[in-house]
């Protein structure tokens, strides 16, 4: 979790950390992911959504509606909408 708070990680390493954190720590990893939903890099935002979707709990998906309201990338918006469909 501390790795995600480091500003100098490469995007590919950050991508791996988020997905592995979601896989191995599940809901305990949720608190560190929402800040990545507003990252400048579209790949980071997409991966944060993917990690939250893979966790799949109500707590994990809770930040996504707000992220959808502010998201500019069609690709990320689509992934958010897909993740939110889990709740329906």
């Amino acid at each position: 979790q501390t790795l995600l708070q480091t500003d100098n990680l490469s995007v590919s390493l950050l991508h791996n950390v988020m997905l592995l954190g979601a896989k191995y720590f599940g809901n305990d990893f949720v608190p560190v992911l929402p800040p990545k939903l507003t990252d400048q890099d579209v790949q980071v935002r997409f991966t944060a959504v993917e990690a939250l979707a893979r966790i799949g709990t109500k707590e994990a998906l809770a930040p996504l509606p707000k992220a959808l309201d502010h998201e500019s990338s069609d690709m990320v918006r689509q992934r958010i909408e897909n993740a939110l469909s889990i709740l329906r």
Side-chain angles (χ1 to χ4, degrees), residues 1-60:
Q1 293 177 356
T2 303
L3 277 174
L4 285 182
Q5 297 166 347
T6 304
D7 290 333
N8 59 355
L9 283 182
S10 73
V11 172
S12 63
L13 179 58
L14 184 57
H15 173 82
N16 288 326
V17 168
M18 286 192 282
L19 294 178
L20 288 171
K23 179 177 181 178
Y24 291 105
F25 298 106
N27 221 43
D28 290 337
F29 201 65
V30 170
V32 299
L33 291 169
K36 299 302 178 191
L37 295 172
T38 58
D39 196 275
Q40 291 181 9
D41 190 304
V42 68
Q43 291 176 322
V44 171
R45 295 193 312 272
F46 185 88
T47 302
V49 173
E50 182 64 28
L52 290 166
R54 287 183 184 190
I55 295 168
T57 62
K58 288 183 181 180
E59 295 82 9

